Amino acid sequence: KYKMFSKNGEILETMQAIPERVDTPEFYPANDCYYSFYINRLDVLKRNNGVGRSFIKIARQESYRNACEGRVHLIAKNPKDIYDKPDIFYRKCGFDSSNKYHIEKIDEAIKNNKPLENLWQQTLMYLPLKKAK
């Protein structure tokens, strides 16, 4: 469990994440079996302050540190409120999905600066691997 605090010592956000062995190409399509850093939960107390993006960077770093080679995956959903979808946030952070229909609808919502319609409950998402320079 990861926690981020303000200068005053208040908890800003928490992230539950673990490295795990994945044996399905649902997250990383070209791979049948791999290790990836799984973000199980990202709880935000205050939005639009950059803390969420910071946690995504930390997850990528932890992925390398835990032999996951930069792979980070998650299931975008909000169990507390199905109408408050985190898909747009994760997409803006660089996440992709094998479900191209979801990606198309998410990108459309971003382009039109509109909320995402509640067409589905969750999206399997992953951070694409960075290309070697």
Side-chain angles (χ1 to χ4, degrees), residues 82-132:
I82 62 169
Y83 297 103
D84 183 20
K85 302 180 72 49
D87 305 53
I88 289 175
F89 165 74
Y90 290 123
R91 184 68 172 151
K92 286 181 176 180
C93 287
F95 280 81
D96 201 352
S97 176
S98 298
N99 188 323
K100 296 309 171 195
Y101 174 76
H102 285 201
I103 291 300
E104 182 181 299
K105 291 297 182 185
I106 295 165
D107 288 347
E108 190 177 294
I110 292 169
K111 180 182 173 189
N112 297 323
N113 197 27
K114 295 198 176 200
L116 189 59
E117 292 181 46
N118 191 30
L119 302 172
W120 60 83
Q121 288 192 337
Q122 62 186 24
T123 304
L124 307 179
M125 300 185 88
Y126 63 93
L127 270 179
L129 294 174
K130 291 187 175 183
K131 302 219 188 296

Side-chain angles (χ1 to χ4, degrees), residues 18-22 27 34-39 66 68 73:
I18 57 168
E20 69 177 12
R21 184 175 184 269
V22 182
F27 292 102
Y34 49 92
Y35 285 89
S36 181
F37 198 71
Y38 174 57
I39 298 175
N66 286 281
C68 298
H73 73 284

Side-chain angles (χ1 to χ4, degrees), residues 52-71:
R53 284 186 182 275
S54 295
F55 264 129
I56 300 301
K57 288 178 186 175
I58 289 169
R60 175 84 81 175
Q61 292 168 351
E62 287 293 293
S63 171
Y64 285 111
R65 202 170 71 76
N66 286 281
C68 298
E69 301 174 343
R71 289 184 189 89

